[in-house]
Amino acid sequence: MIDCDIHPQVADPEELISYIDPAQREWFRAQGPSLGLPGYSWVHPSSWFRQDIDQNGHPPASDVDTVRRELLDPSGTDAGVLNGDDAVLVSLMPSPYRAAELARAHNEWLRERWLDAEPRLRASILCPAQDPQAAAAEIRRVAGDERFVQVLLCGGADRPYGEPRYLPIFEAAAESGLPVAIHSGGEGMGIAAPPGGAGPVTFYIEWHTLGSACSTMSHLVSLLCHGTFERLPSLKVLLIEGGIAWLPGMLWRLDTNWRALRSEVPWLDRKPSEVAREHVRFSTQPLEHTDGRDETLFEMLEAAGAPDNLVFASDYPHWDFDDPGFMLNRLPDAWRAKVLHENAADLYGARLALPADA
Amino acid sequence: MPNWVDVGSVADIERDGRLVVRVNGREVGVVTDGKGVLRGIRNRCPHHGGPLCLGRVGERVGGDPGVYELTGRWTLRCPWHGWEFDLETGLCLDEPTLRTAVYPVRVEDGRVLLGA
């Protein structure tokens, strides 16, 4: 089993600050526990995290032992990809300079505190997307360490990622043989546009329903329309935690519009849905809940490329995580091997190969 | 050899931009492409049956991402949903499973002859 979305937590801000350049430590320390990262307008009324995890007085999943004991060992996970949690919001900080430094520090923290400690773990490269040149430089700096298996961007952005100014990020990833993962989150925070397309929302429940899905759709449609995959034929994009039940409708709509509006994007010489099938992957969590109509959902998803475009993600240790065992039972028999293992193994290639003794 | 049918005068096309006539029970249009060549094409879009020949003639645009280039290929765009048909082949360029009939056209003494 390969888990494409595990969120390591920072036990103590000082732990991350120790990786920050001394000339910037005072600034980051002065920002308090957020380290200057933009935050939510709400606090989850019970908790952002699963409440059953033994925390030893720290946030859950803030040390390798806990992740081994709570997730990797019991689920039989062969490889798990660490995606920065709040830290992915570096891209939404007003200062691209602070963002670049925090991203760099977080990448080093992942390397030393997590990857060196557990051979089953892999990680995503954080980068300051608001400064694409700096982001590309950070990707190239870190990509040499093959335990980093992808680049991570957040769903929140001031414009969708197909915009040409973001191209250096995708070029650096493609050159390094890395997929780019876009993880929902951050919509409406810092310099990001509001979630949903109709202005700021009132409740966390609205944000959690709309933000993740809407930003994911926006980035997908933008990347397809701008011809990002025509420019970079080896590029793969993984969309994490944005849902997927909307995908068939969105692709059909895009294909239909393309037939009538192709002159706007004349570089698209085949149906966008075909390009999406080849280049875009989706994570399972949160696989939409269907009130017992899973068969209908799976049939719809097959029309949009599933199970070949689906990879498993637990979102551990968040409150809305998917238990690996539960997901194993929910998936159709014919999907299981592909979704739980094979598709992610294809996506990450040699970087996922585990040490012989693992 | 096609059966050449007189469908109107060149002056009609110059005045109206197109001719739409009924030939052998089917509506057929004659339009001028951007190079002044007359093209005959069935007046029915194979998508939803729209009056294809009332659409706009234009030169198809192509290019690499971020670049717009004229291709030299003249098309007719259905007035209903905007799907684009190659005037030479009748092929729907954006849905290659669809094609509409095209007809040879020649001009003799100011008259437009359609090969049906």
Side-chain angles (χ1 to χ4, degrees):
Chain A
M1 175 177 290
I2 299 168
D3 185 342
C4 297
D5 193 29
I6 300 171
H7 294 295
Q9 306 300 315
V10 181
D12 175 350
E14 283 299 325
E15 193 180 306
L16 210 46
I17 288 172
S18 70
Y19 291 89
I20 297 271
D21 185 282
Q24 297 204 42
R25 279 185 197 159
E26 190 184 330
W27 185 88
F28 277 101
R29 196 170 278 131
Q31 306 310 306
S34 75
L35 296 173
L37 291 163
Y40 289 88
S41 304
W42 315 268
V43 171
H44 188 298
S46 48
S47 169
W48 300 116
F49 299 110
R50 267 176 55 180
Q51 291 290 282
D52 59 317
I53 301 172
D54 178 8
Q55 304 176 38
N56 293 324
H58 292 301
S62 58
D63 63 82
V64 176
D65 282 340
T66 305
V67 173
R68 270 192 206 115
R69 188 180 66 245
E70 300 278 353
L71 182 70
L72 301 179
D73 293 345
S75 63
T77 298
D78 300 297
V81 181
L82 301 172
N83 293 323
D85 201 28
D86 290 343
V88 72
L89 307 180
V90 287
S91 295
L92 306 179
M93 293 171 79
S95 164
Y97 314 113
R98 302 299 186 190
E101 180 55 15
L102 188 52
R104 191 197 60 73
H106 193 274
N107 289 331
E108 294 309 310
W109 172 76
L110 284 172
R111 203 198 304 261
E112 284 190 18
R113 299 287 178 116
W114 295 85
L115 300 180
D116 287 352
E118 172 51 59
R120 284 171 290 184
L121 292 176
R122 297 292 182 274
S124 298
I125 300 174
L126 282 193
C127 63
Q130 70 275 66
D131 182 352
Q133 300 295 343
E138 179 63 5
I139 292 165
R140 292 194 172 96
R141 184 185 77 80
V142 180
D145 184 336
E146 298 215 328
R147 297 170 301 176
F148 286 90
V149 296
Q150 66 192 1
V151 172
L152 185 63
L153 301 176
C154 72
D158 59 347
R159 292 200 73 185
Y161 289 132
E163 281 288 314
R165 70 187 154 102
Y166 289 115
L167 202 54
I169 296 175
F170 292 91
E171 284 171 341
E175 259 177 54
S176 309
L178 295 169
V180 175
I182 303 171
H183 190 303
S184 69
E187 296 81 7
M189 299 180 204
I191 61 171
V201 296
T202 314
F203 304 108
Y204 173 63
I205 185 175
E206 285 181 279
W207 182 91
H208 195 254
T209 305
L210 286 172
S212 53
C214 293
S215 72
T216 304
M217 289 179 209
S218 300
H219 293 307
L220 171 64
V221 172
S222 173
L223 289 166
L224 290 169
C225 287
H226 279 274
T228 308
F229 302 106
E230 279 74 8
R231 288 182 194 266
L232 303 168
S234 67
L235 179 69
K236 296 278 194 294
V237 166
L238 169 62
L239 300 174
I240 302 181
E241 213 173 333
I244 187 172
W246 48 263
L247 180 66
M250 183 58 61
L251 289 180
W252 293 333
R253 191 174 170 81
L254 182 56
D255 280 354
T256 297
N257 284 336
W258 168 76
R259 290 187 189 98
L261 303 171
R262 197 208 54 96
S263 61
E264 274 195 306
V265 286
W267 40 85
L268 299 187
D269 51 16
R270 55 191 182 128
K271 286 195 281 193
S273 63
E274 287 176 21
V275 179
R277 270 174 190 249
E278 269 183 42
H279 292 274
V280 184
R281 304 290 177 264
F282 294 81
S283 70
T284 50
Q285 189 276 339
L287 190 58
E288 281 82 351
H289 294 273
T290 58
D291 292 334
R293 304 283 301 268
D294 268 358
E295 277 172 29
T296 309
L297 174 69
F298 294 138
E299 214 169 295
M300 290 275 288
L301 294 183
E302 278 177 0
D308 296 338
N309 58 358
L310 267 182
V311 298
F312 173 70
S314 70
D315 191 35
Y316 174 91
H318 285 166
W319 65 274
D320 53 343
F321 104 121
D322 275 343
D323 177 66
F326 184 85
M327 184 52 65
L328 190 107
N329 290 326
R330 193 180 165 197
L331 292 174
D333 292 345
W335 286 29
R336 231 166 258 150
K338 284 189 170 181
V339 174
L340 297 177
H341 193 277
E342 291 168 17
N343 294 340
D346 280 353
L347 181 66
Y348 298 127
R351 286 176 182 251
L352 206 70
L354 301 166
D357 60 345
Chain B
M1 279 295 287
N3 177 31
W4 294 100
V5 181
D6 184 330
V7 293
S9 69
V10 173
D12 291 338
I13 295 187
E14 281 169 356
R15 188 189 62 238
D16 300 333
R18 73 200 75 220
L19 270 177
V20 179
V21 294
R22 186 166 280 272
V23 178
N24 298 336
R26 285 191 168 163
E27 276 199 0
V28 176
V30 178
V31 299
T32 314
D33 74 15
K35 289 180 181 155
V37 180
L38 294 181
R39 302 283 183 185
I41 189 162
R42 192 172 172 200
N43 189 30
R44 184 180 185 282
C45 178
H47 175 218
H48 282 182
L52 185 57
C53 296
L54 302 186
R56 192 181 292 186
V57 173
E59 187 173 351
R60 186 162 169 94
V61 177
D64 290 331
V67 180
Y68 295 86
E69 283 169 356
L70 292 172
T71 60
R73 196 171 197 182
W74 291 88
T75 62
L76 184 57
R77 215 173 251 285
C78 180
W80 279 11
H81 297 96
W83 293 21
E84 205 173 359
F85 292 80
D86 187 306
L87 275 171
E88 238 180 293
T89 63
L91 191 69
C92 178
L93 294 173
D94 305 317
E95 182 50 73
T97 58
L98 296 182
R99 182 190 284 274
T100 193
V102 289
Y103 304 85
V105 176
R106 65 191 175 92
V107 174
E108 222 167 76
D109 299 330
R111 300 300 299 174
V112 179
L113 306 179
L114 184 94

